[in-house]
């Protein structure tokens, strides 16, 4: 598994372990969260939800009679859609009209109860209805009033009212219109008035009356605040919600919420009443406009009717004309009949002409059209055509078996010739007769047309005047009828809307705050905040916590971990090797021997990145552990800049040591000292030299290590930190094994880059990592290490 990938996710087991080890933080956050939730429930004003239901009806404007009239006049009826109705309900105009019916809403009443929550600051403040206040405030209308500033009203023992207000700034407004008169600063009011009398102040003009039967609540404080109507409109619009119960339904739900139940109930009921009143008013307006329109049209039609009747009567009197309809109708009917007769005769003539042409061009009449089918009832012609067709059929039958010289064929030809000549003569006579008939009919048609054209101009004018008079009479009677219907509709007008349910509070109490919900939020906050802090600190923490952190930045083998120890334990470890720290170094010693291939002669260098990581502590205890295992060990303090080794062995201060030996000031025997631990000698720094690097580079250092290799099983060098000075790189060529010490929650991961680069470039051999100062009980990776050490070495 990729360590980087593992680190990107959240290990629940590790997270639970971190929570368990830092339980005081979690408990503290939970206590704070629940305390804040309890205070919130005490301070937050309750909010009550109200709902009312209303049916919108047909959603058409005007009465049914008015709609019928608009339809007859071809005027499109614009029905109001549900979305438009909802928009009208939530409009500023509609809510403003409702506020005009609720003038007492311009005064908001507040009480600050005498509770522990308000001991230091007035945190708990409740708005109440006018009916629940011990007094009633009536602002004088159309007078500039101070708005937006709490006005405290105290009831004095003698029954008078003490009115007090102090604020840095406020506004003078007209409560009825919301118009700003002027802003004011340094507001200060301090007046005392009797009940029922008017308070007159440059910033305030009002009257205070007692609410009989309402007593004060102990030491509670009472405030009022004046609010102009436009501000009220904005407040109630923000709380108002309207929706349709169903997509196809005409029923809507009106919902409002606020801290004063009585106000929300009155607001919703008043808003619905305003909607009903506006609906009736709109219908009455449409009805009245319909009546006005009809009255105007009737007046114009009456004048036109009277004028047309007068024109007709005058024309009849002056010209002596009574009625020409019958005469004109007869002439028109006669002309029509003549035209039909002429068309019939023309059709017959065309048939005669076609028949005659057919006879002259064809010998057979088997395919000729019968005269009867063309409407010709001449029996002679019909018989002649049928006879000729029959003779043609007989000849065709004989022509199959007989020749043209056959006597019967000769007889048939003779008979057909005679019949054809007779038929030709008859058709010629009929054509002549048809021509005579057509000429006569044309004469009659022209005569009738002439008669019609010769009708007097007065007769045509009389027909026009009579038609106009009849039209005016009909329209006049129609408008009178519709005017009567519109007047009845206006008198009986009613709204299509109706209130289904008046405003009713939803639930048995306030909708917010909800104690269970607030408690749940507090619980989640009390858990999420510390968990979030733990996760954030874990993500942003660049310090080493365990072997997984090391695995993400380097592949240098981990030799072991050293348990956390107090300062007292650190200095007793050398002489009393027991406990978790001692077991840690035993494990490191075994791992070192295994990983180093089991070589007996070793020069081991112990270093770190920076001071404070515990390299000297690890070098001392590793050397002591090697000595306890039966090896001869010498510990050499090559960190010549900050020597600390003598304090671990409680050795007296000495000027002799490695620095003096390398400088040629002392002998080997004088520089080596017993440590107090069996089989362990030490060579401390001695005097701190000014030229540490130069001393370590001298040939005496190489000679010293050669001699130590010959006399000791292990040489442990406490070397300087890699990241600060260059001495480690001078000593690196002498080392058989390198132990690089990092400290839990102290060493930054970036500091490992230098030693890791040396390892990757193979410039350093046998390098191992040791994590020092590990808190097993607080580290997820090593949470079971305490029990395992106790179990394994309890004897």
């Amino acid at each position: 598994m990729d360590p980087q990938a593992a680190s990107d996710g959240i290990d629940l087991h590790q997270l639970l372990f971190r929570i368990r080890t830092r339980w005081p933080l979690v408990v503290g956050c939970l206590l704070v969260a629940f305390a804040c939730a309890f205070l919130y429930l005490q301070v937050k004003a309750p909010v009550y939800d109200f709902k009312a239901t209303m049916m919108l009806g047909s959603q058409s404007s005007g009465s049914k009679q008015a709609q019928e009239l608009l339809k007859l006049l071809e005027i499109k009826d614009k029905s109001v859609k549900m979305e438009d109705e909802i928009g009208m309900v939530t409009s500023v105009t509609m809510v403003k009209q409702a506020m005009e019916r609720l003038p007492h809403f311009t005064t908001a009443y507040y009480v600050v109860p005498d509770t522990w929550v308000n001991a230091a600051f007035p945190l708990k403040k409740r708005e109440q209805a006018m009916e629940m206040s011990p007094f009633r405030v009536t602002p004088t209308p159309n007078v500039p009033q101070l708005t937006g500033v709490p006005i405290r009203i105290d009831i004095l023992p003698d029954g008078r009212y003490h009115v007090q207000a102090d604020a840095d700034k406020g506004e003078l407004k007209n409560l009825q219109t919301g118009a700003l008169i002027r802003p004011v600063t340094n507001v200060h009011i301090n007046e005392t008035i009797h009940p029922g009398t008017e308070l007159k102040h440059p910033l305030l003009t009002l009257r205070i009356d007692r609410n009989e039967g309402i007593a004060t609540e102990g030491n509670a404080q009472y405030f009022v605040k004046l609010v102009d109507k436009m501000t009220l409109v904005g407040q109630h619009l923000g709380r108002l919600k309207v929706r349709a119960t169903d997509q196809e339904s005409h029923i809507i739900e009106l919902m409002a919420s606020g801290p004063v139940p009585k106000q929300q109930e009155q607001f919703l009921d008043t808003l619905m009443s305003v909607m009903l009143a506006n609906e009736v008013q709109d219908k009455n307006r449409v009805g009245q406009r319909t009546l006005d329109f009809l009255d105007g049209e009737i007046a114009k039609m009456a004048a036109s009717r009277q004028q047309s009747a007068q024109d007709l009567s005058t024309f009849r009197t002056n010209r002596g004309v009574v009625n020409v309809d019958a005469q004109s109708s007869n002439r028109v009917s006669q002309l029509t009949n003549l035209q039909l007769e002429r068309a019939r005769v023309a059709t017959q003539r065309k048939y005669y002409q076609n028949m005659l042409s057919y006879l002259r061009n064809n010998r057979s009449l088997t395919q000729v059209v019968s005269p009867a089918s063309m409407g010709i009832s001449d029996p002679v012609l019909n018989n002649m055509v049928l006879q000729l067709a029959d003779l043609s059929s007989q000849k065709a039958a004989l022509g199959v078996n007989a020749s043209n010289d056959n006597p019967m064929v000769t007889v048939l030809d003779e008979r057909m010739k005679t019949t054809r000549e007779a038929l030709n003569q008859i058709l010629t006579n009929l054509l002549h007769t048809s021509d005579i008939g057509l000429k006569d009919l044309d004469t009659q048609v022209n005569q009738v047309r002439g008669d019609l054209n010769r009708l007097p101009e007065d007769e045509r004018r009389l027909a026009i005047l009579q038609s106009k008079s009849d039209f005016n009479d009909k329209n006049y009677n129609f408008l009178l009828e519709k005017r009567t219907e519109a007047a009845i509709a206006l008198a009986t007008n009613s709204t299509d809307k109706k209130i289904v349910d008046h405003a009713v509070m939803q639930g048995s109490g306030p909708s917010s705050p909800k104690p269970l919900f607030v408690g749940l939020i507090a619980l989640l906050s009390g858990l999420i905040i510390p968990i979030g802090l733990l996760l954030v600190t874990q993500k942003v923490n660049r310090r080493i916590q365990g072997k997984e952190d090391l695995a993400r930045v380097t592949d240098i083998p981990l030799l072991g971990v050293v348990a956390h120890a107090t300062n007292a334990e650190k200095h007793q470890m050398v002489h009393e090797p027991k406990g978790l720290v001692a077991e840690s170094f035993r494990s490191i010693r075994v791992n070192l021997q295994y990983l180093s291939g089991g070589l007996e002669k070793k020069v081991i260098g112990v270093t770190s990145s920076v001071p404070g990581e515990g390299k000297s502590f690890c070098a001392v205890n590793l050397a002591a552990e090697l000595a306890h295992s039966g090896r001869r060990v010498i510990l050499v303090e090559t960190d010549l800049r900050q020597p600390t080794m003598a304090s671990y062995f409680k050795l007296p201060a000495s000027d002799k040591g490695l620095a003096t030996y390398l400088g040629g000031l002392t002998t080997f025997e004088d520089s080596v000292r017993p440590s107090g631990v069996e089989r362990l000698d030490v060579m401390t720094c001695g005097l701190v030299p000014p030229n540490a690097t130069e001393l370590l580079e001298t040939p005496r250092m190489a000679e010293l290590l050669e001699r130590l290799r010959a006399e000791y099983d292990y040489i442990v060098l406490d070397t300087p930190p890699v990241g600060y000075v260059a001495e480690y790189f001078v000593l690196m060529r002498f080392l058989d094994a390198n132990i690089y010490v990092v400290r839990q929650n102290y060493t930054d991961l970036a500091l490992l880059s230098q030693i890791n680069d040396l390892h990757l470039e193979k410039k350093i051999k046998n390098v191992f990592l040791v994590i020092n100062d590990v808190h097993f009980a607080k580290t997820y990776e090593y949470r079971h290490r305490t029990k395992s050490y106790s179990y394994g070495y309890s004897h």
Side-chain angles (χ1 to χ4, degrees):
M1 180 178 179
D2 185 8
Q4 180 65 34
S7 65
D8 292 339
I10 298 178
D11 189 337
L12 293 180
H13 292 284
Q14 184 176 1
L15 179 61
L16 292 175
F17 177 80
R18 288 172 62 84
I19 293 174
R20 187 175 72 247
T21 56
R22 291 162 179 80
W23 65 266
L25 173 63
V26 178
V27 172
C29 289
L30 284 173
L31 291 177
V32 172
F34 279 112
C36 293
F38 179 74
L39 182 62
Y40 173 79
L41 292 174
Q42 294 296 317
V43 173
K44 176 65 176 177
V47 176
Y48 300 87
D49 292 342
F50 279 79
K51 183 176 75 172
T53 310
M54 190 174 190
M55 187 171 68
L56 300 180
S58 63
Q59 300 184 14
S60 297
S61 59
S63 62
K64 294 181 180 178
Q65 290 76 12
Q67 298 303 314
E68 292 177 359
L69 178 60
L70 293 175
K71 184 176 180 180
L72 289 171
L73 295 177
E74 297 183 353
I75 299 176
K76 187 177 181 181
D77 175 30
K78 298 180 180 178
S79 298
V80 182
K81 297 181 180 179
M82 176 66 73
E83 293 80 2
D84 297 334
E85 285 279 6
I86 294 176
M88 292 171 61
V89 175
T90 57
S91 65
V92 174
T93 302
M94 192 70 69
V95 178
K96 184 179 179 181
Q97 292 178 10
M99 289 296 106
E100 290 174 353
R101 297 191 180 190
L102 300 168
H104 59 281
F105 275 28
T106 57
T107 305
Y109 298 82
Y110 298 91
V111 59
V112 179
D114 183 21
T115 63
W116 64 270
V117 179
N118 297 324
F121 300 99
L123 299 177
K124 185 176 182 179
K125 181 170 64 174
R126 296 288 184 265
E127 186 177 358
Q128 57 183 189
M130 178 187 66
E131 295 80 3
M132 302 303 297
S133 176
F135 50 82
R136 182 174 63 258
V137 176
T138 306
T140 304
N142 299 320
V143 176
Q145 303 284 5
L146 178 66
T147 60
V149 175
I151 303 170
R152 180 173 176 176
I153 300 178
D154 295 325
I155 304 176
L156 301 179
D158 58 0
R160 294 183 302 166
Y161 294 103
H162 179 226
V163 181
Q164 181 181 358
D166 292 285
D168 294 334
K169 59 182 179 179
E171 292 180 337
L172 276 182
K173 286 186 176 182
N174 187 318
L175 297 184
Q176 281 66 40
T177 64
L180 176 64
I181 308 301
R182 63 182 177 89
V184 294
T185 57
N186 299 322
V187 176
H188 178 71
I189 299 175
N190 191 3
E191 301 288 340
T192 302
I193 61 172
H194 290 278
T197 61
E198 188 176 58
L199 169 64
K200 293 185 177 181
H201 188 273
L203 303 179
L204 206 60
T205 305
L206 50 81
R207 189 181 75 252
I208 304 178
D209 299 295
R210 288 193 182 94
N211 260 348
E212 300 297 337
I214 305 298
T216 58
E217 301 177 8
N219 295 325
Q221 300 176 4
Y222 293 90
F223 294 84
V224 296
K225 186 184 292 185
L226 301 183
V227 186
D228 64 278
K229 285 186 178 177
M230 292 309 298
T231 302
L232 285 173
V233 169
Q235 291 176 354
H236 284 80
L237 269 178
R239 301 170 183 170
L240 177 63
K241 296 180 180 178
V242 182
R243 68 179 183 185
T245 56
D246 189 74
Q247 187 175 3
E248 301 296 331
S249 175
H250 289 171
I251 297 179
I252 60 173
E253 293 178 344
L254 293 84
M255 295 164 285
S257 59
V260 183
K262 188 69 174 178
Q263 284 190 358
Q264 305 310 313
E265 180 181 359
Q266 292 177 350
F267 168 66
L268 289 180
D269 290 341
T270 304
L271 183 61
M272 291 190 294
S273 299
V274 169
M275 291 176 61
L276 297 179
N278 287 352
E279 175 78 6
V280 175
Q281 185 178 0
D282 291 342
K283 288 191 174 185
N284 288 339
R285 187 182 299 111
V286 173
Q288 187 60 48
R289 288 179 179 176
T290 304
L291 281 179
D292 295 340
F293 169 77
L294 290 173
D295 288 341
E297 292 298 314
I298 289 173
K300 291 188 292 184
M301 189 58 65
S304 177
R305 177 172 173 267
Q306 183 179 1
Q307 184 64 40
S308 62
Q310 184 178 355
D311 293 343
L312 180 61
S313 177
T314 302
F315 184 81
R316 287 179 183 275
T317 302
N318 294 337
R319 301 298 177 92
V321 178
V322 178
N323 189 2
V324 295
D325 290 344
Q327 183 179 356
S328 299
S329 178
N330 289 336
R331 292 293 184 185
V332 172
S333 177
Q334 185 180 0
L335 178 61
T336 302
N337 293 334
L338 289 173
Q339 289 175 341
L340 291 174
E341 179 64 19
R342 187 187 184 284
R344 186 185 65 79
V345 173
T347 302
Q348 291 179 355
R349 182 186 181 281
K350 188 175 182 179
Y351 175 79
Y352 298 151
Q353 189 174 3
N354 290 336
M355 177 70 75
L356 186 60
S357 176
Y358 188 81
L359 286 175
R360 292 172 180 175
N361 298 326
N362 298 280
R363 300 186 62 181
S364 175
L365 289 180
T366 55
Q367 297 181 356
V368 73
V369 179
S370 173
S373 64
M374 297 300 296
I376 300 174
S377 60
D378 190 338
V380 177
L381 178 63
N382 285 330
N383 289 333
M384 293 294 291
V385 171
L386 292 175
Q387 184 179 354
L388 185 60
D390 183 56
L391 292 174
S392 297
S393 298
Q394 291 180 17
K395 181 181 178 181
L398 290 174
V400 176
N401 297 317
S403 64
N404 293 332
D405 298 331
N406 190 306
M408 294 184 67
V409 173
T410 303
V411 173
L412 287 174
D413 287 339
E414 188 64 27
R415 291 178 63 185
M416 288 177 63
K417 179 180 179 182
T418 304
T419 304
R420 186 185 297 274
E421 292 176 354
L423 183 59
N424 190 10
Q425 185 63 38
I426 291 173
L427 290 173
T428 302
N429 294 334
L430 288 175
L431 273 175
H432 181 69
T433 304
S434 298
D435 290 339
I436 295 173
L438 285 174
K439 185 180 296 185
D440 182 59
L441 287 172
D442 288 339
T443 302
Q444 294 182 45
V445 169
N446 291 333
Q447 183 180 356
V448 172
R449 285 178 177 173
D451 292 342
L452 286 174
N453 292 332
R454 286 192 298 271
L455 284 175
E457 182 68 21
D458 294 343
E459 293 178 357
R460 288 201 303 270
R461 289 186 60 191
L462 180 63
I464 294 173
L465 291 173
Q466 184 66 49
S467 176
K468 184 177 180 181
S469 178
D470 293 342
F471 175 78
N472 288 338
D473 288 342
K474 184 178 180 180
N475 283 350
Y476 182 77
N477 293 331
F478 171 77
L479 291 175
L480 284 179
E481 180 184 355
K482 292 303 175 182
R483 203 268 180 201
T484 303
E485 293 178 358
I488 295 174
L490 180 61
T492 60
N493 238 346
S494 62
T495 176
D496 293 332
K497 297 181 176 69
K498 72 175 183 178
I499 298 175
V500 179
D501 294 315
H502 287 274
V504 178
M505 186 172 69
Q506 301 299 293
S508 58
S511 60
S512 68
K514 298 179 180 180
L516 291 179
F517 180 74
V518 174
L520 179 61
I521 294 297
L523 176 61
L524 294 177
S525 301
L527 293 175
I528 291 175
I529 291 176
I531 292 175
L533 289 175
L534 292 176
L535 291 175
V536 170
T537 55
Q538 180 181 0
K539 291 296 182 182
V540 302
N541 188 5
R542 295 290 300 167
R543 297 176 179 177
I544 293 174
Q545 300 298 321
K547 61 182 180 181
E548 290 185 358
D549 295 330
L550 295 177
R552 289 199 299 270
V553 296
T554 182
D555 58 354
I556 298 176
L558 178 64
L559 195 60
V561 294
V562 179
H564 170 73
T566 63
N567 290 331
E569 291 174 342
K570 290 179 180 179
H571 291 86
Q572 293 176 0
M573 277 296 302
V574 177
H575 304 285
E576 299 180 8
K578 60 181 180 180
L580 290 178
V581 180
E583 300 304 333
S584 299
F585 282 105
R586 291 192 186 100
S587 176
I588 291 173
R589 185 255 303 171
V590 173
N591 291 338
L592 177 64
Q593 292 174 342
Y594 172 76
L595 294 175
S596 299
L599 298 177
E600 293 297 329
K601 299 294 184 179
K602 298 292 183 185
V603 178
I604 303 172
V606 181
T607 187
S608 64
S609 301
V610 293
E613 292 177 310
K615 65 171 181 62
S616 298
F617 169 73
C618 291
V620 169
N621 286 277
L622 178 60
E625 175 58 31
L626 290 171
H628 291 316
S629 66
R631 274 77 169 179
R632 288 197 66 215
V633 183
I634 183 170
L635 178 61
V636 182
E637 188 173 27
T638 59
D639 187 358
L640 303 180
R641 299 177 185 270
Q642 293 183 357
T644 59
M645 189 184 299
S647 61
Y648 287 98
F649 297 100
K650 300 179 181 179
L651 298 176
S654 174
D655 295 338
K656 300 176 181 180
L658 178 62
T660 57
Y661 173 78
L662 295 178
L665 302 178
T666 57
T667 62
F668 175 79
E669 289 75 9
D670 295 334
S671 301
V672 175
R673 304 166 64 186
S675 65
V677 177
E678 189 177 359
R679 294 182 294 276
L680 175 61
D681 295 331
V682 297
M683 180 181 286
T684 59
C685 172
L687 292 176
V688 178
N691 54 345
T693 304
E694 289 80 357
L695 289 177
L696 295 176
E697 290 177 333
T698 60
R700 288 178 64 87
M701 184 65 191
E703 297 172 358
L704 172 64
L705 289 176
E706 287 298 327
R707 180 174 180 177
L708 294 178
R709 283 178 182 270
E711 297 183 10
Y712 294 92
D713 296 324
Y714 285 97
I715 303 100
V716 179
L717 303 184
D718 180 14
T719 64
V722 174
Y724 273 33
V725 292
E727 284 90 334
Y728 176 78
F729 299 99
V730 175
L731 298 171
M732 191 170 60
R733 56 195 175 94
F734 302 115
L735 303 178
D736 297 324
N738 298 268
I739 297 178
Y740 193 88
V741 178
V742 295
R743 183 177 177 183
Q744 186 187 47
N745 207 28
Y746 183 86
T747 303
D748 195 291
L749 289 170
L751 296 176
L752 293 174
S753 60
Q754 189 173 14
I755 192 69
N756 188 53
D757 292 341
L758 293 174
H759 172 67
L760 294 176
E761 295 171 2
K762 298 183 179 181
K763 294 180 179 180
I764 186 172
K765 57 183 179 179
N766 294 332
V767 60
F768 307 99
L769 294 175
V770 170
I771 304 177
N772 184 35
D773 198 25
V774 177
H775 294 72
F776 288 160
K778 296 181 180 181
T779 305
Y780 179 73
E781 294 180 43
Y782 308 108
R783 60 193 183 280
H784 304 303
R785 188 66 62 90
T786 303
K787 295 180 180 179
S788 64
Y789 277 138
S790 300
Y791 172 79
Y793 296 94
S794 58
H795 60 281

